[in-house]
Amino acid sequence: MTQADFVNIVMPFKDKVFRLAKRLLVSKEEAEDATQEILLKLWNNQDKIEDYNNVEAFSMTMTKNFCLDRLKSKQAQNLKIVHSNYQDNNVSLQKQVELNDSVDWVSKIIEALPEQQKIILQLRDIEQYEFEEIAEMLDMNQTAIRVALSRARKTIREQLTNTHRYGIK
Amino acid sequence: MVLNNIEKLLEKYDNGETTLKEEQQLRAYFAQNDVEPHLESYKVMFQYYSKTKQEKFTKDVPLKPKKNNLYKWISVAAVAVLMFGAYTQFDFNKKRTIDDLSHEELLAYNQTKEAFNLLASKFSEGTTNVKVLGIVGTQFEKASEKVDYINEFSNTTNKFFKNK
């Protein structure tokens, strides 16, 4: 397998790997390192890539495990929390500030969720995987995934409505 | 009516029962600007999701071509083979005396020895014959010397004739 072949295989999901890593590790730098690590691991095991029927699902599983390990390890104590800047061109400044604030809130709320729910929410609501795929990636049954997802969604919305009310009144 | 539909979908969504297609509908609804005020929190949520999805991994990953260890191992194997060859060769070079030979080897040894002896005797016969040839040669040389004398003699006689 040449480098070009490898890049073609990896290209479609490398951003997904990065976003999942960032969801779990919060810091952009940490997520970048993790993604790099995952891609290098794939590259070094390129002979085996053809054996996996779903490289993407395999990579996502690998990312999840890697990030959880990372969080457990001592190095994780050096994690930095970095916020991205969100922009919206269509709204007025007043609204934009407000919106930025609430969008920021979403990420804060998600950050506070249990790891399991974080991963499932990321895979479903952001990456839009089918439940079957998520079940394969996380080695869980679909009902458990639905339950966790429902909990995560409800928590986010509850907290969002709360912050909104506090913000206004 | 649309709102009703959306609210139904949202309930399903909250219970984790929506399909990807239905979620796509919700996304499309919340992507537009005016949304019912009581659904504002959903809007923020979906907005966040679609924003996050645009994030890209931009760092370069240095992909080193996989090192091929085969050549390394081939050279190691070659050295091993050479060493083994030299060792066994060295072993064979050790001088063996006739006492070490087995019966058959001794037999073969004696036979070859006899054969060589035979060859040697024939060879010496041959050399005596050649010696005879040598003798003939010397005789011939002597004869040719004598012929030289005759030549000299005839030269002098010729001179005599010229002087006359």
PDB file of all heavy atoms in Angstrom, chain A residues 3 6-7 32-33 35-37 39-41 43-44, chain B residues 57 59-66:
ATOM      1  N   GLN A   3       1.490   5.510   0.173  1.00  0.00           N
ATOM      2  CA  GLN A   3       0.990   6.590   1.021  1.00  0.00           C
ATOM      3  C   GLN A   3      -0.328   7.146   0.500  1.00  0.00           C
ATOM      4  O   GLN A   3      -1.230   7.462   1.256  1.00  0.00           O
ATOM      5  CB  GLN A   3       2.034   7.706   1.077  1.00  0.00           C
ATOM      6  CG  GLN A   3       2.974   7.566   2.238  1.00  0.00           C
ATOM      7  CD  GLN A   3       3.756   8.851   2.474  1.00  0.00           C
ATOM      8  OE1 GLN A   3       3.247   9.944   2.279  1.00  0.00           O
ATOM      9  NE2 GLN A   3       4.975   8.713   2.922  1.00  0.00           N
ATOM     10  N   PHE A   6      -3.222   4.985   1.334  1.00  0.00           N
ATOM     11  CA  PHE A   6      -3.520   5.121   2.758  1.00  0.00           C
ATOM     12  C   PHE A   6      -4.294   6.405   3.024  1.00  0.00           C
ATOM     13  O   PHE A   6      -5.312   6.396   3.721  1.00  0.00           O
ATOM     14  CB  PHE A   6      -2.222   5.102   3.552  1.00  0.00           C
ATOM     15  CG  PHE A   6      -2.423   5.257   5.030  1.00  0.00           C
ATOM     16  CD1 PHE A   6      -2.910   4.207   5.785  1.00  0.00           C
ATOM     17  CD2 PHE A   6      -2.131   6.452   5.656  1.00  0.00           C
ATOM     18  CE1 PHE A   6      -3.104   4.340   7.133  1.00  0.00           C
ATOM     19  CE2 PHE A   6      -2.324   6.591   7.014  1.00  0.00           C
ATOM     20  CZ  PHE A   6      -2.822   5.538   7.752  1.00  0.00           C
ATOM     21  N   VAL A   7      -3.812   7.486   2.441  1.00  0.00           N
ATOM     22  CA  VAL A   7      -4.488   8.775   2.639  1.00  0.00           C
ATOM     23  C   VAL A   7      -5.921   8.702   2.132  1.00  0.00           C
ATOM     24  O   VAL A   7      -6.844   9.225   2.755  1.00  0.00           O
ATOM     25  CB  VAL A   7      -3.704   9.900   1.934  1.00  0.00           C
ATOM     26  CG1 VAL A   7      -4.522  11.182   1.911  1.00  0.00           C
ATOM     27  CG2 VAL A   7      -2.390  10.133   2.654  1.00  0.00           C
ATOM     28  N   GLU A  32      -5.311  16.802  18.687  1.00  0.00           N
ATOM     29  CA  GLU A  32      -4.458  16.671  17.495  1.00  0.00           C
ATOM     30  C   GLU A  32      -3.416  15.575  17.691  1.00  0.00           C
ATOM     31  O   GLU A  32      -3.175  14.755  16.801  1.00  0.00           O
ATOM     32  CB  GLU A  32      -3.767  17.998  17.203  1.00  0.00           C
ATOM     33  CG  GLU A  32      -4.634  18.937  16.394  1.00  0.00           C
ATOM     34  CD  GLU A  32      -4.007  20.305  16.218  1.00  0.00           C
ATOM     35  OE1 GLU A  32      -2.996  20.599  16.900  1.00  0.00           O
ATOM     36  OE2 GLU A  32      -4.523  21.067  15.416  1.00  0.00           O
ATOM     37  N   ASP A  33      -2.814  15.594  18.869  1.00  0.00           N
ATOM     38  CA  ASP A  33      -1.825  14.552  19.162  1.00  0.00           C
ATOM     39  C   ASP A  33      -2.453  13.175  19.098  1.00  0.00           C
ATOM     40  O   ASP A  33      -1.873  12.241  18.538  1.00  0.00           O
ATOM     41  CB  ASP A  33      -1.219  14.773  20.558  1.00  0.00           C
ATOM     42  CG  ASP A  33      -0.257  15.950  20.552  1.00  0.00           C
ATOM     43  OD1 ASP A  33       0.021  16.449  19.451  1.00  0.00           O
ATOM     44  OD2 ASP A  33       0.189  16.357  21.638  1.00  0.00           O
ATOM     45  N   THR A  35      -5.122  12.233  17.458  1.00  0.00           N
ATOM     46  CA  THR A  35      -5.446  11.873  16.073  1.00  0.00           C
ATOM     47  C   THR A  35      -4.199  11.418  15.326  1.00  0.00           C
ATOM     48  O   THR A  35      -4.215  10.416  14.610  1.00  0.00           O
ATOM     49  CB  THR A  35      -6.064  13.084  15.339  1.00  0.00           C
ATOM     50  OG1 THR A  35      -7.040  13.658  16.173  1.00  0.00           O
ATOM     51  CG2 THR A  35      -6.673  12.658  14.035  1.00  0.00           C
ATOM     52  N   GLN A  36      -3.133  12.164  15.543  1.00  0.00           N
ATOM     53  CA  GLN A  36      -1.869  11.799  14.898  1.00  0.00           C
ATOM     54  C   GLN A  36      -1.445  10.392  15.312  1.00  0.00           C
ATOM     55  O   GLN A  36      -1.054   9.570  14.488  1.00  0.00           O
ATOM     56  CB  GLN A  36      -0.810  12.807  15.310  1.00  0.00           C
ATOM     57  CG  GLN A  36       0.487  12.632  14.573  1.00  0.00           C
ATOM     58  CD  GLN A  36       1.443  13.770  14.867  1.00  0.00           C
ATOM     59  OE1 GLN A  36       1.185  14.619  15.704  1.00  0.00           O
ATOM     60  NE2 GLN A  36       2.547  13.798  14.179  1.00  0.00           N
ATOM     61  N   GLU A  37      -1.592  10.157  16.587  1.00  0.00           N
ATOM     62  CA  GLU A  37      -1.223   8.842  17.135  1.00  0.00           C
ATOM     63  C   GLU A  37      -2.041   7.729  16.485  1.00  0.00           C
ATOM     64  O   GLU A  37      -1.506   6.709  16.062  1.00  0.00           O
ATOM     65  CB  GLU A  37      -1.470   8.875  18.644  1.00  0.00           C
ATOM     66  CG  GLU A  37      -0.750   7.823  19.424  1.00  0.00           C
ATOM     67  CD  GLU A  37       0.732   8.128  19.540  1.00  0.00           C
ATOM     68  OE1 GLU A  37       1.156   9.290  19.298  1.00  0.00           O
ATOM     69  OE2 GLU A  37       1.470   7.191  19.851  1.00  0.00           O
ATOM     70  N   LEU A  39      -3.613   7.800  13.597  1.00  0.00           N
ATOM     71  CA  LEU A  39      -3.288   7.630  12.173  1.00  0.00           C
ATOM     72  C   LEU A  39      -1.968   6.892  12.005  1.00  0.00           C
ATOM     73  O   LEU A  39      -1.818   6.042  11.125  1.00  0.00           O
ATOM     74  CB  LEU A  39      -3.227   8.996  11.481  1.00  0.00           C
ATOM     75  CG  LEU A  39      -4.569   9.723  11.384  1.00  0.00           C
ATOM     76  CD1 LEU A  39      -4.416  11.033  10.647  1.00  0.00           C
ATOM     77  CD2 LEU A  39      -5.604   8.855  10.695  1.00  0.00           C
ATOM     78  N   LEU A  40      -1.013   7.197  12.875  1.00  0.00           N
ATOM     79  CA  LEU A  40       0.277   6.509  12.788  1.00  0.00           C
ATOM     80  C   LEU A  40       0.123   5.025  13.104  1.00  0.00           C
ATOM     81  O   LEU A  40       0.743   4.175  12.461  1.00  0.00           O
ATOM     82  CB  LEU A  40       1.292   7.135  13.747  1.00  0.00           C
ATOM     83  CG  LEU A  40       1.920   8.430  13.251  1.00  0.00           C
ATOM     84  CD1 LEU A  40       2.865   9.003  14.294  1.00  0.00           C
ATOM     85  CD2 LEU A  40       2.673   8.194  11.946  1.00  0.00           C
ATOM     86  N   LYS A  41      -0.728   4.757  14.078  1.00  0.00           N
ATOM     87  CA  LYS A  41      -0.973   3.351  14.416  1.00  0.00           C
ATOM     88  C   LYS A  41      -1.562   2.627  13.214  1.00  0.00           C
ATOM     89  O   LYS A  41      -1.166   1.504  12.900  1.00  0.00           O
ATOM     90  CB  LYS A  41      -1.938   3.248  15.598  1.00  0.00           C
ATOM     91  CG  LYS A  41      -1.238   3.236  16.933  1.00  0.00           C
ATOM     92  CD  LYS A  41      -2.236   2.993  18.037  1.00  0.00           C
ATOM     93  CE  LYS A  41      -1.591   3.250  19.389  1.00  0.00           C
ATOM     94  NZ  LYS A  41      -2.559   3.237  20.471  1.00  0.00           N
ATOM     95  N   TRP A  43      -1.209   3.455  10.122  1.00  0.00           N
ATOM     96  CA  TRP A  43      -0.175   3.385   9.083  1.00  0.00           C
ATOM     97  C   TRP A  43       0.794   2.238   9.361  1.00  0.00           C
ATOM     98  O   TRP A  43       1.187   1.500   8.464  1.00  0.00           O
ATOM     99  CB  TRP A  43       0.545   4.727   9.015  1.00  0.00           C
ATOM    100  CG  TRP A  43       1.735   4.765   8.126  1.00  0.00           C
ATOM    101  CD1 TRP A  43       3.035   4.915   8.510  1.00  0.00           C
ATOM    102  CD2 TRP A  43       1.757   4.673   6.699  1.00  0.00           C
ATOM    103  NE1 TRP A  43       3.840   4.916   7.420  1.00  0.00           N
ATOM    104  CE2 TRP A  43       3.105   4.769   6.302  1.00  0.00           C
ATOM    105  CE3 TRP A  43       0.768   4.503   5.725  1.00  0.00           C
ATOM    106  CZ2 TRP A  43       3.492   4.708   4.968  1.00  0.00           C
ATOM    107  CZ3 TRP A  43       1.154   4.436   4.396  1.00  0.00           C
ATOM    108  CH2 TRP A  43       2.496   4.541   4.041  1.00  0.00           C
ATOM    109  N   ASN A  44       1.150   2.093  10.627  1.00  0.00           N
ATOM    110  CA  ASN A  44       2.093   1.031  10.970  1.00  0.00           C
ATOM    111  C   ASN A  44       1.487  -0.355  10.837  1.00  0.00           C
ATOM    112  O   ASN A  44       2.192  -1.334  10.643  1.00  0.00           O
ATOM    113  CB  ASN A  44       2.621   1.219  12.396  1.00  0.00           C
ATOM    114  CG  ASN A  44       3.563   2.405  12.477  1.00  0.00           C
ATOM    115  OD1 ASN A  44       4.181   2.761  11.481  1.00  0.00           O
ATOM    116  ND2 ASN A  44       3.657   3.025  13.634  1.00  0.00           N
TER     117      ASN A  44
ATOM    118  N   PHE B  57      -9.395  18.453  11.013  1.00  0.00           N
ATOM    119  CA  PHE B  57      -8.071  18.095  11.509  1.00  0.00           C
ATOM    120  C   PHE B  57      -7.047  18.580  10.487  1.00  0.00           C
ATOM    121  O   PHE B  57      -7.029  18.121   9.349  1.00  0.00           O
ATOM    122  CB  PHE B  57      -7.968  16.585  11.674  1.00  0.00           C
ATOM    123  CG  PHE B  57      -6.613  16.111  12.075  1.00  0.00           C
ATOM    124  CD1 PHE B  57      -6.117  16.390  13.340  1.00  0.00           C
ATOM    125  CD2 PHE B  57      -5.837  15.378  11.192  1.00  0.00           C
ATOM    126  CE1 PHE B  57      -4.867  15.946  13.719  1.00  0.00           C
ATOM    127  CE2 PHE B  57      -4.581  14.935  11.575  1.00  0.00           C
ATOM    128  CZ  PHE B  57      -4.093  15.218  12.839  1.00  0.00           C
ATOM    129  N   LYS B  59      -3.591  19.180  11.176  1.00  0.00           N
ATOM    130  CA  LYS B  59      -2.182  18.886  11.445  1.00  0.00           C
ATOM    131  C   LYS B  59      -1.664  17.842  10.453  1.00  0.00           C
ATOM    132  O   LYS B  59      -2.391  16.924  10.074  1.00  0.00           O
ATOM    133  CB  LYS B  59      -2.072  18.328  12.861  1.00  0.00           C
ATOM    134  CG  LYS B  59      -0.712  18.523  13.465  1.00  0.00           C
ATOM    135  CD  LYS B  59      -0.754  18.076  14.914  1.00  0.00           C
ATOM    136  CE  LYS B  59       0.621  18.028  15.495  1.00  0.00           C
ATOM    137  NZ  LYS B  59       0.606  17.476  16.855  1.00  0.00           N
ATOM    138  N   ASP B  60      -0.422  18.020  10.054  1.00  0.00           N
ATOM    139  CA  ASP B  60       0.185  17.036   9.159  1.00  0.00           C
ATOM    140  C   ASP B  60       0.681  15.837   9.955  1.00  0.00           C
ATOM    141  O   ASP B  60       1.222  15.995  11.040  1.00  0.00           O
ATOM    142  CB  ASP B  60       1.378  17.660   8.421  1.00  0.00           C
ATOM    143  CG  ASP B  60       0.917  18.308   7.143  1.00  0.00           C
ATOM    144  OD1 ASP B  60      -0.210  17.998   6.719  1.00  0.00           O
ATOM    145  OD2 ASP B  60       1.671  19.122   6.591  1.00  0.00           O
ATOM    146  N   VAL B  61       0.486  14.699   9.383  1.00  0.00           N
ATOM    147  CA  VAL B  61       0.987  13.495  10.038  1.00  0.00           C
ATOM    148  C   VAL B  61       2.185  12.978   9.243  1.00  0.00           C
ATOM    149  O   VAL B  61       2.054  12.685   8.060  1.00  0.00           O
ATOM    150  CB  VAL B  61      -0.099  12.408  10.105  1.00  0.00           C
ATOM    151  CG1 VAL B  61       0.447  11.161  10.766  1.00  0.00           C
ATOM    152  CG2 VAL B  61      -1.290  12.918  10.880  1.00  0.00           C
ATOM    153  N   PRO B  62       3.342  12.922   9.865  1.00  0.00           N
ATOM    154  CA  PRO B  62       4.504  12.415   9.137  1.00  0.00           C
ATOM    155  C   PRO B  62       4.413  10.909   8.969  1.00  0.00           C
ATOM    156  O   PRO B  62       4.519  10.164   9.935  1.00  0.00           O
ATOM    157  CB  PRO B  62       5.676  12.786  10.047  1.00  0.00           C
ATOM    158  CG  PRO B  62       5.092  12.887  11.406  1.00  0.00           C
ATOM    159  CD  PRO B  62       3.648  13.251  11.255  1.00  0.00           C
ATOM    160  N   LEU B  63       4.185  10.482   7.738  1.00  0.00           N
ATOM    161  CA  LEU B  63       4.098   9.047   7.480  1.00  0.00           C
ATOM    162  C   LEU B  63       5.432   8.545   6.952  1.00  0.00           C
ATOM    163  O   LEU B  63       5.781   8.806   5.813  1.00  0.00           O
ATOM    164  CB  LEU B  63       2.995   8.764   6.458  1.00  0.00           C
ATOM    165  CG  LEU B  63       1.570   9.078   6.893  1.00  0.00           C
ATOM    166  CD1 LEU B  63       0.603   8.801   5.766  1.00  0.00           C
ATOM    167  CD2 LEU B  63       1.198   8.260   8.106  1.00  0.00           C
ATOM    168  N   LYS B  64       6.140   7.888   7.807  1.00  0.00           N
ATOM    169  CA  LYS B  64       7.416   7.332   7.349  1.00  0.00           C
ATOM    170  C   LYS B  64       7.136   6.012   6.662  1.00  0.00           C
ATOM    171  O   LYS B  64       6.360   5.206   7.154  1.00  0.00           O
ATOM    172  CB  LYS B  64       8.353   7.105   8.534  1.00  0.00           C
ATOM    173  CG  LYS B  64       9.002   8.388   9.001  1.00  0.00           C
ATOM    174  CD  LYS B  64       9.779   8.125  10.274  1.00  0.00           C
ATOM    175  CE  LYS B  64       9.360   9.074  11.371  1.00  0.00           C
ATOM    176  NZ  LYS B  64       8.652   8.419  12.463  1.00  0.00           N
ATOM    177  N   PRO B  65       7.766   5.776   5.514  1.00  0.00           N
ATOM    178  CA  PRO B  65       7.583   4.472   4.885  1.00  0.00           C
ATOM    179  C   PRO B  65       8.086   3.370   5.827  1.00  0.00           C
ATOM    180  O   PRO B  65       9.054   3.565   6.541  1.00  0.00           O
ATOM    181  CB  PRO B  65       8.436   4.555   3.620  1.00  0.00           C
ATOM    182  CG  PRO B  65       9.288   5.747   3.796  1.00  0.00           C
ATOM    183  CD  PRO B  65       8.621   6.672   4.748  1.00  0.00           C
ATOM    184  N   LYS B  66       7.369   2.300   5.783  1.00  0.00           N
ATOM    185  CA  LYS B  66       7.693   1.218   6.705  1.00  0.00           C
ATOM    186  C   LYS B  66       9.088   0.683   6.434  1.00  0.00           C
ATOM    187  O   LYS B  66       9.439   0.409   5.292  1.00  0.00           O
ATOM    188  CB  LYS B  66       6.675   0.101   6.524  1.00  0.00           C
ATOM    189  CG  LYS B  66       6.242  -0.463   7.856  1.00  0.00           C
ATOM    190  CD  LYS B  66       5.206  -1.530   7.623  1.00  0.00           C
ATOM    191  CE  LYS B  66       4.943  -2.263   8.907  1.00  0.00           C
ATOM    192  NZ  LYS B  66       4.122  -3.418   8.671  1.00  0.00           N
TER     193      LYS B  66
END
